[in-house]
């Protein structure tokens, strides 16, 4: 039995290579079945994201080269190119790697939470494909448990480390209940899209997306049940907006002090939280001078993010210790399972020997032998048969100098030191 984690990620491979080695959701089930058919892998799961493609395997004996060739053939890349950027972890190291990945310790953004959900999806797909057996299944469950402990017992995922998330987190600090708030998002690019997603996930009451072109604004708004408007509609929307977050490519400010002042009067000076993520700025700096406006720039957010990254890095050491403990615990339980298999086989062997001797004793009784003689023969015969195989092996160990095995046997059978001469031989 061997666990293997083989893959590439954002630290070892370029975007070009990662794109070529990625698996689409539609490919996964068939790929898993082919992987188990064409390599020594008895169990398999595949994790494929924009930052990594990893194979988690359980094999009987070495088969890493076969898996590497399979991966290269499947994606039509050369083995040499793949070998140059692939990493391979085996047994304890493979277990530790899976737990680090699920805990966000191996992510581009330290502690990011999405990877755990992606790992759970990989588990579900492998189960659907029929390539998830008892060993890999136990490993995934242990991995999820360790990742949950890391999230619960450390601060590694608590503080925002993206501009979009930091902006929404600051909004939550000012407005305790976003369910009653309206947000005006200016722009329709990637950052505003992420902001919209975070606000939507937080259950904000209403989102308005303002953009230079209505088509682009509508495309984004549709994803989150938001309302789309043009930039020229901003003054009217500003009156109803508690949160304003802007990120456009405009070379000139879009929102000036006068427009905000006018909106505040109509709002009866109800506060507005504003974040200007754009460079150059979308919101005139003078807006920040108004008493009822909380204005943050992208530099302010970067300071928050830098502090939060320090906090996450401090929590990472505690997380690594939890991962190490999770790895040790899993491997110990796995070794216990191996002992259970040995004990089961030994018990079955002993029961066969017992049944043979019992049948022999019953025949002797049927033939009229004295009960005490039968009992004595039963005890003697059973003892001899139970001790025969261990005796032969111990003599063999002694003859070949395996004194360590004799010591283990003494411990295994709970013998007194005086009952063995191994001490004088060491």
């Amino acid at each position: 039995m061997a666990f293997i984690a083989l893959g590439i990620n954002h630290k070892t491979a370029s975007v070009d290579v990662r794109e070529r080695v990625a698996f689409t959701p539609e490919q996964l089930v068939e790929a898993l079945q082919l992987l188990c058919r064409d390599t020594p892998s008895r169990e398999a799961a595949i994790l494929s994201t924009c930052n990594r493609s990893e194979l988690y395997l359980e094999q009987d004996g070495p088969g890493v080269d076969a898996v590497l060739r399979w991966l290269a053939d499947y994606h039509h890349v050369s083995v040499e190119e793949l070998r140059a950027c692939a990493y391979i972890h085996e047994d304890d190291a493979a277990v530790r790697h899976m737990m680090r990945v699920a805990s966000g310790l191996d992510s581009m953004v330290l502690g990011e939470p999405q990877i755990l959900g992606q790992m759970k999806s990989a588990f579900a797909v492998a189960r659907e494909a029929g390539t998830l057996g008892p060993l890999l299944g136990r490993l995934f469950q242990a991995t999820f448990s360790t990742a949950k402990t890391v999230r619960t017992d450390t601060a590694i995922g608590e503080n925002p480390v993206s501009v979009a998330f930091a902006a929404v987190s600051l909004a939550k600090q000012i407005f305790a209940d976003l369910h009653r708030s309206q947000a005006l998002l200016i722009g329709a690019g990637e950052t505003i899209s992420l902001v919209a997603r975070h606000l939507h996930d937080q259950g904000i009451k209403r989102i308005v997306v303002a953009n230079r072109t209505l088509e682009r604004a509508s495309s984004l708004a549709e994803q989150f049940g938001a309302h789309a408007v043009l930039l020229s509609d901003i003054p009217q929307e500003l009156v109803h907006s508690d949160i304003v977050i802007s990120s456009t490519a405009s070379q000139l400010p879009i929102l000036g002090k006068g427009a905000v002042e006018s909106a505040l009067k109509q709002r009866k000076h109800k506060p507005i939280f504003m974040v200007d993520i754009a460079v150059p700025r979308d919101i005139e700096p003078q807006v920040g001078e108004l008493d009822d406006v909380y204005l943050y720039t992208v530099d302010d957010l970067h300071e928050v993010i830098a502090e939060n990254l320090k906090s996450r890095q401090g929590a990472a050491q505690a997380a690594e210790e939890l991962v190490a403990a999770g790895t040790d615990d899993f491997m110990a339980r796995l070794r216990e399972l191996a002992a259970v298999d040995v004990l089961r086989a030994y018990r079955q062997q002993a029961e066969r020997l017992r049944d043979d001797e019992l049948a022999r004793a019953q025949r002797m009784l049927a033939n009229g032998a004295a009960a005490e003689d039968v009992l004595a023969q039963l005890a003697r015969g059973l003892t001899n048969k139970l001790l025969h195989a261990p005796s032969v092996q111990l003599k063999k160990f002694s003859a070949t100098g395996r004194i360590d095995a004799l010591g283990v046997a003494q411990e295994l059978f709970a013998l007194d030191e005086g009952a063995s001469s191994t001490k004088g031989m060491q």
Side-chain angles (χ1 to χ4, degrees), residues 243-260:
I243 299 166
V244 178
I245 301 176
S246 186
S247 178
T248 76
S250 175
Q251 295 302 303
L252 297 172
I254 290 172
L255 201 52
K257 184 178 180 182
V260 178

Side-chain angles (χ1 to χ4, degrees), residues 29-220:
V29 169
E30 181 187 33
L32 283 165
Q33 292 168 348
L34 291 173
L35 177 57
C36 286
R37 188 193 72 184
D38 299 338
T39 74
S41 306
R42 295 185 297 192
E43 302 180 36
I46 296 174
L47 173 67
S48 190
T49 73
C50 58
N51 285 329
R52 69 179 67 242
S53 287
E54 296 187 340
L55 312 182
Y56 305 131
L57 312 168
E58 191 275 316
Q59 295 187 338
D60 186 13
V64 172
D65 286 342
V67 174
L68 204 60
R69 286 194 301 272
W70 178 88
L71 187 60
D73 290 343
Y74 187 89
H75 289 294
H76 308 293
V77 299
S78 71
V79 175
E80 292 72 22
E81 184 179 17
L82 197 55
R83 198 186 302 275
C85 58
Y87 43 84
I88 299 164
H89 303 289
E90 298 185 48
D91 296 327
D92 297 48
V95 172
R96 179 174 176 270
H97 177 76
M98 281 183 66
M99 291 183 176
R100 292 189 77 251
V101 169
S103 300
L105 288 168
D106 196 54
S107 297
M108 183 178 290
V109 177
L110 181 64
E112 61 96 1
Q114 289 83 7
I115 189 65
L116 180 55
Q118 292 164 335
M119 185 78 88
K120 288 181 177 179
S121 294
F123 169 80
V125 172
R127 187 165 54 185
E128 177 190 346
T131 61
L132 194 72
L135 293 175
L136 203 55
R138 286 192 182 95
L139 175 52
F140 266 103
Q141 294 300 340
T143 296
F144 298 151
S145 177
T146 297
K148 182 179 179 181
T149 301
V150 167
R151 293 283 167 193
T152 303
D153 294 358
T154 76
I156 195 165
E158 288 182 2
N159 300 308
V161 290
S162 72
V163 168
F165 195 26
V168 174
S169 296
L170 285 172
K172 284 176 63 182
Q173 292 177 24
I174 294 170
F175 300 98
D177 187 4
L178 291 182
H179 294 80
R180 299 180 181 179
S181 302
Q182 175 171 307
L184 171 62
L185 308 183
I186 305 174
E190 182 179 351
T191 300
I192 289 297
S193 177
L194 286 172
V195 169
R197 183 174 300 281
H198 289 311
L199 287 171
H200 182 266
D201 291 345
Q202 293 297 326
I204 195 162
K205 181 180 178 182
R206 188 168 185 257
I207 299 174
V208 176
V209 180
N211 194 55
R212 184 173 56 83
T213 62
L214 191 60
E215 181 183 2
R216 188 82 181 274
S218 298
S219 176
L220 175 58

